[in-house]
Amino acid sequence: MKPRCAKAELKHQVAVWAERLEVDVNTVAVRSMRTKWASCSTEGNLTFNTELLGFDEAVRNYVIVHELLHFFVPNHGRLWKSLMRAHLGPYEDLDLELRRQHGRARSQEDDSRSAPPPSLSSLGSR
Ligand SMILES: [Zn+2]
């Protein structure tokens, strides 16, 4: 499947959110990862899964904001959830949509088998 979004576009999307959320992002990388949608380090280095390029913009926003908020809140606790809701609205729907789009992409591939779906990382607990 041809990606609908270029890497540069995703990086731009990250830069826009980073500015909005006032997060100091050091580097943004886009590469294929088997087990994660995205990861962030305390040094401000973000990595996003190339598979996201084929997903809807709203789903990418969810992953981007999810990771960027971990710069403030290293877990998925109450504060993190309220920030997510403040920026994205009912983000739980986007989480479901992420899984749905992943499942759809997988069903178009041959090597789907039973690989576990990637997960979202969090700063503190990986
Ligand atoms: Zn997380």
Side-chain angles (χ1 to χ4, degrees), residues 40-93:
C40 56
S41 77
T42 41
E43 293 81 38
N45 302 314
L46 286 161
T47 309
F48 292 92
N49 193 323
T50 43
E51 194 180 336
L52 295 167
L53 299 174
F55 295 173
D56 289 351
E57 188 177 346
V59 171
R60 288 198 301 273
N61 279 336
Y62 162 68
V63 176
I64 291 167
V65 175
H66 182 127
E67 292 301 320
L68 288 176
L69 288 180
H70 280 321
F71 283 88
F72 305 113
V73 188
N75 54 49
H76 303 124
R78 234 197 201 151
L79 176 61
W80 181 86
K81 284 178 181 165
S82 68
L83 287 169
M84 284 294 281
R85 219 163 282 133
H87 290 291
L88 297 170
Y91 68 91
E92 292 93 340
D93 295 349

Side-chain angles (χ1 to χ4, degrees), residues 7 10-11 27-40 45-53 118 126:
K7 280 186 187 181
L10 175 62
K11 289 184 182 183
T27 64
V28 179
V30 184
R31 59 186 176 83
S32 78
M33 295 190 280
R34 277 204 162 277
T35 58
K36 285 178 187 172
W37 288 119
S39 67
C40 56
N45 302 314
L46 286 161
T47 309
F48 292 92
N49 193 323
T50 43
E51 194 180 336
L52 295 167
L53 299 174
R126 265 158 206 265

